[in-house]
Amino acid sequence: MDLQYGLELVGTFVFAISGALAVREREHDLFGAGFTGFITAIGGGTLRDILLDSYPLVWIGDVKFLYAILVGILAAFVFPNLLSKLRKTFFLFDTLGIGFFTVLGVEKALSLGVRPEIAAIMGMFSAVMGGVIRDTLTNEIPILFRKEIYASACLAGAVLYVVLNYFDVDRNYNMLISMSLVISIRMISMKYKLSLPRLD
Amino acid sequence: MDLQYGLELVGTFVFAISGALAVREREHDLFGAGFTGFITAIGGGTLRDILLDSYPLVWIGDVKFLYAILVGILAAFVFPNLLSKLRKTFFLFDTLGIGFFTVLGVEKALSLGVRPEIAAIMGMFSAVMGGVIRDTLTNEIPILFRKEIYASACLAGAVLYVVLNYFDVDRNYNMLISMSLVISIRMISMKYKLSLPRLD
Amino acid sequence: MDLQYGLELVGTFVFAISGALAVREREHDLFGAGFTGFITAIGGGTLRDILLDSYPLVWIGDVKFLYAILVGILAAFVFPNLLSKLRKTFFLFDTLGIGFFTVLGVEKALSLGVRPEIAAIMGMFSAVMGGVIRDTLTNEIPILFRKEIYASACLAGAVLYVVLNYFDVDRNYNMLISMSLVISIRMISMKYKLSLPRLD
C-alpha cells in the first residue's frame, strides 16, 4: 500500500511537471504554466471521482497531493532547460504514469462497486482526461485526437485488468501485467509510428 | 414507461452515431471517433445529473446505455458510407432526439424537486450539452453558437413543458406538444434558414 | 449578511452582462450571447461547489440568482451600445467582482471544512473559472493565459485572506484588505501593463 501511495504521489508530481512544460513554447506566463500543470495533474482523477460521486476528491482530502503538484510546478520553473533536455526521460515517466493511473483508476472504480465495463472507462479517464482538459483549455487539439496511440493503449490495459480481475488473477500480478500492456502499446506505437486506422 | 425507456435507449444510440460520424472529415482515428460518439451521447445527461447531484449517473447505473452507445459507434465504423448517405435521415433522428431529451430532462429535473425555471434549463442542457462538449473538445465552434436555431428551440420546448405542467395538462399530451414545438421550430428554421437576430 | 447577499447578486448580474457583451464582435445570435452570459455568471461558483460536493448549487437553490442573470442578459440586449460605452465602468465592475467572488469563495470553502490551501484555490476558481469556461466554449484563448495579470491577482488575495484568517484578523477587515489586494494588483497591472515573467 505504501508503495502504491508513493507511486501515486510521484505520478502526480510528474504530470504536474509535464503539464507546466507543455506551455513553454506558447505565450503563457508563469502563472498560466503553473495552472496548466495543476489541471494536468488533477484533471483525470477529479473527473473520475465526480462521475462516480466519490468525495472528498483525492487532492482536496489529502494535501500531500497539492504539495506534490506545487513542487512539480516549481521544478518546471527553476529547471526548465534541464527538464526539457530530459524530454525522453519524461516520455518514459509519462508512459509509466498513464500505465499506473489507468490501473489505479480501474481499481478505485471497482472498489466503489460499479460494473467492470464502467471501471475500464474510468481507468482510461483517470489516465488521459487531465491531458485532454489541458489541451482543451490551451486551444490545442486534444492528445486524444492526435495521431499517436495514447488513450486507446490505456483502454486496452484497463480492459485487460478487469478481465484478469474477473478470472481472479492475483492483484499484484494483474497490476503488473495490465500496466505493462499500456506501456508496451504506447512505446511500440511511438517507436514504429503506428496509429489506428481512420474512419473513411 | 417501457416506451419511454426504449426511446431513451434509441436516442442515446442515435446520438452516439451522429457523434462518431461528426469527426469523419477530420484527422481522427477510430478511437477518437468512438470517444467523440461516447461524449456526445452521454454529455448532456451527465452534466444535468452532476448539476442536480443525481447519482448514479444514468449510463453508470444502467449498463444498457453503454451498450447502446457501443453499438452506435460500431455501426458508424462498419457502415460509415451508408450512414453518411442517410444524413437527412439523421437530421431527422437528431431533431427527434433533441425534442425527446429536452422533455425527458425537464421531467427528471422536476422529479428531483427543483423549480420550473431550473427544470427548463436542465431540459435544454440535456439535449444540447453533449454536442457542445463534443464541439469544444474537437476545437469546433459549438453548435450553440452557429447560425442555426438549435438550443433555443430546445429551451422553447422546455419552457412550454413547464408552463403546461403548471396548468396540469396531462403528461402524455404535454410531452407530445412540447416535443412537437422543439421539432417544429428546428425544422422550420432549417428549411427557411431562419436565425435569431444578432447582438449589434 | 444582507450586504454580502446583495453584493453577490450584484456581482452575478455584472458577470452576466460582461459575458453577454463578450460575444458582440462575433457571429453569435442573441441566444448564444445569453448563454455565454449565463455560463460566465455561474461557471466559477458552480465548479467550486461541484469540487467541494456542496449542493444544491447556489443558482439552483436560490432562484434570485437566475433572475439576476436574466436581467443582466436583457440589459445587455436592450442597451448594448450604452453598456459598451461603459466599458471602463465595466472593467471597474469586473475588477470589484473578481475581488468579491475571490473572498466569498474562500469563505465558503473554509466553512465547508477544507484546508486553507484548498480554500485559497477555491477562491480563485470562484472568481475566474466562469470566464475560463466562457473563453473555452467560444474558442478564445482563456483569460487565464493572456498577458494581463488576472487569476494570479485573485490567488494572491485568496492566500492573503487565509493567512489573515489564520491569525484571527476580524472577518470584515480581512474581507476588505484581501479584496483590496486583488483590486489593487489588477488595476496597477492594467495601468502599467505589467505582466508576470514567462517560462523560457
Side-chain angles (χ1 to χ4, degrees):
Chain A
M1 265 305 137
D2 268 8
L3 177 67
Q4 181 181 323
Y5 183 74
L7 282 173
E8 199 173 349
L9 275 178
V10 172
T12 303
F13 167 76
V14 171
F15 269 21
I17 295 181
S18 78
L21 288 180
V23 301
R24 278 208 66 204
E25 283 112 69
R26 322 188 95 239
E27 291 281 317
H28 301 164
D29 61 22
L30 285 182
F31 182 86
F35 188 89
T36 308
F38 182 72
I39 294 287
T40 308
I42 66 155
T46 297
L47 181 67
R48 175 199 63 210
D49 290 347
I50 290 174
L51 293 175
L52 294 173
D53 198 22
S54 167
Y55 288 95
L57 302 178
V58 175
W59 57 279
I60 289 181
D62 180 353
V63 82
K64 287 204 194 69
F65 285 89
L66 196 59
Y67 284 109
I69 293 168
L70 290 179
V71 173
I73 292 170
L74 280 176
F77 286 178
V78 179
F79 311 112
N81 292 321
L82 176 63
L83 290 173
S84 284
K85 271 178 207 148
L86 294 174
R87 197 167 286 268
K88 276 192 182 164
T89 316
F90 265 104
F91 169 71
L92 184 68
F93 279 5
D94 184 74
T95 303
L96 292 174
I98 59 172
F100 179 69
F101 279 119
T102 297
V103 168
L104 202 77
V106 174
E107 287 196 325
K108 177 152 192 189
L110 286 174
S111 78
L112 290 166
V114 301
R115 290 179 58 106
E117 297 95 328
I118 300 293
I121 292 175
M122 292 299 152
M124 175 187 65
F125 274 14
S126 306
V128 306
M129 291 305 276
V132 169
I133 297 170
R134 175 197 64 206
D135 294 339
T136 304
L137 283 182
T138 55
N139 277 344
E140 293 277 350
I141 296 174
I143 192 159
L144 214 65
F145 298 126
R146 291 182 215 149
K147 285 200 174 140
E148 314 142 18
I149 290 180
Y150 189 82
S152 35
C154 298
L155 188 58
V159 169
L160 182 62
Y161 187 94
V162 298
V163 168
L164 294 182
N165 184 63
Y166 180 81
F167 289 113
D168 285 324
V169 170
D170 174 78
R171 175 175 175 262
N172 288 328
Y173 283 116
N174 194 351
M175 283 194 75
L176 213 66
I177 297 170
S178 302
M179 278 183 63
S180 302
L181 181 66
V182 176
I183 293 167
S184 310
I185 294 179
R186 177 86 176 121
M187 292 214 151
I188 291 172
S189 72
M190 284 300 278
K191 186 162 174 66
Y192 298 102
K193 301 197 186 304
L194 301 179
S195 55
L196 291 176
R198 289 171 49 194
L199 183 64
D200 52 11
Chain B
M1 267 306 137
D2 267 8
L3 178 66
Q4 181 182 322
Y5 183 74
L7 282 174
E8 200 173 348
L9 275 178
V10 172
T12 303
F13 167 76
V14 171
F15 269 21
I17 294 179
S18 78
L21 288 180
V23 300
R24 278 209 65 204
E25 282 113 67
R26 323 187 95 238
E27 291 281 316
H28 300 164
D29 61 21
L30 286 180
F31 182 86
F35 188 88
T36 308
F38 182 73
I39 293 288
T40 309
I42 66 155
T46 297
L47 181 66
R48 175 198 64 210
D49 290 346
I50 290 175
L51 293 175
L52 294 174
D53 197 24
S54 168
Y55 288 95
L57 302 178
V58 174
W59 56 279
I60 289 181
D62 180 351
V63 81
K64 287 203 194 70
F65 285 89
L66 196 60
Y67 284 109
I69 293 169
L70 290 179
V71 173
I73 292 170
L74 280 176
F77 286 179
V78 178
F79 311 112
N81 292 320
L82 176 62
L83 290 172
S84 285
K85 271 179 206 148
L86 293 175
R87 197 167 285 267
K88 276 192 181 165
T89 315
F90 265 104
F91 169 72
L92 184 68
F93 279 4
D94 183 74
T95 303
L96 293 174
I98 60 171
F100 179 69
F101 279 118
T102 297
V103 168
L104 202 77
V106 175
E107 288 196 325
K108 177 151 192 190
L110 286 175
S111 78
L112 290 166
V114 301
R115 289 181 59 106
E117 299 93 330
I118 300 294
I121 292 174
M122 293 299 152
M124 176 188 64
F125 274 14
S126 307
V128 306
M129 291 305 277
V132 169
I133 297 170
R134 174 196 66 206
D135 294 339
T136 303
L137 283 182
T138 55
N139 278 343
E140 292 277 351
I141 297 174
I143 192 157
L144 214 66
F145 298 126
R146 291 184 215 149
K147 286 203 172 135
E148 313 142 17
I149 290 180
Y150 190 81
S152 34
C154 298
L155 187 59
V159 169
L160 181 62
Y161 187 94
V162 297
V163 169
L164 295 181
N165 184 63
Y166 179 82
F167 289 111
D168 284 326
V169 171
D170 175 77
R171 175 176 175 262
N172 288 327
Y173 283 117
N174 193 352
M175 283 194 75
L176 213 66
I177 296 171
S178 302
M179 278 183 63
S180 302
L181 182 66
V182 176
I183 294 166
S184 310
I185 293 179
R186 176 87 176 123
M187 292 214 151
I188 291 172
S189 73
M190 284 300 277
K191 184 164 174 65
Y192 298 102
K193 300 196 187 303
L194 302 179
S195 55
L196 290 176
R198 289 173 45 196
L199 183 64
D200 53 11
Chain C
M1 269 303 138
D2 268 7
L3 177 67
Q4 181 182 324
Y5 183 75
L7 282 173
E8 199 174 349
L9 274 178
V10 171
T12 303
F13 167 76
V14 171
F15 269 21
I17 295 180
S18 78
L21 289 180
V23 301
R24 277 209 67 204
E25 284 112 67
R26 323 187 96 240
E27 292 281 316
H28 301 164
D29 61 21
L30 285 181
F31 181 86
F35 189 89
T36 308
F38 182 73
I39 293 288
T40 308
I42 65 156
T46 297
L47 181 66
R48 175 199 63 211
D49 290 347
I50 290 175
L51 292 175
L52 294 174
D53 198 24
S54 167
Y55 289 96
L57 302 178
V58 175
W59 57 279
I60 289 182
D62 180 351
V63 81
K64 286 202 195 69
F65 285 88
L66 196 59
Y67 284 108
I69 293 168
L70 289 179
V71 173
I73 293 170
L74 280 176
F77 286 178
V78 178
F79 311 112
N81 292 319
L82 176 63
L83 290 173
S84 285
K85 272 179 205 148
L86 293 174
R87 196 167 287 268
K88 276 193 181 163
T89 316
F90 265 105
F91 169 71
L92 185 68
F93 280 4
D94 184 73
T95 302
L96 293 174
I98 60 171
F100 179 69
F101 279 119
T102 297
V103 169
L104 202 78
V106 175
E107 288 197 324
K108 177 152 191 189
L110 285 174
S111 78
L112 291 166
V114 301
R115 289 179 60 105
E117 298 94 328
I118 300 293
I121 292 175
M122 292 299 153
M124 176 188 64
F125 275 13
S126 306
V128 307
M129 292 304 278
V132 169
I133 298 170
R134 173 197 66 206
D135 294 338
T136 304
L137 282 182
T138 56
N139 277 344
E140 292 277 351
I141 296 174
I143 191 157
L144 215 65
F145 298 125
R146 291 182 215 149
K147 285 202 173 137
E148 313 142 19
I149 290 181
Y150 190 81
S152 34
C154 298
L155 187 58
V159 169
L160 181 62
Y161 188 94
V162 298
V163 169
L164 294 181
N165 184 63
Y166 179 81
F167 289 111
D168 285 325
V169 171
D170 174 79
R171 174 174 175 264
N172 288 328
Y173 283 116
N174 193 352
M175 283 194 74
L176 215 64
I177 297 170
S178 302
M179 277 184 64
S180 301
L181 181 66
V182 176
I183 293 166
S184 309
I185 294 179
R186 176 88 175 121
M187 292 214 152
I188 291 171
S189 73
M190 283 300 276
K191 187 165 173 64
Y192 297 102
K193 301 197 186 305
L194 301 179
S195 56
L196 291 176
R198 290 170 48 195
L199 183 63
D200 54 10

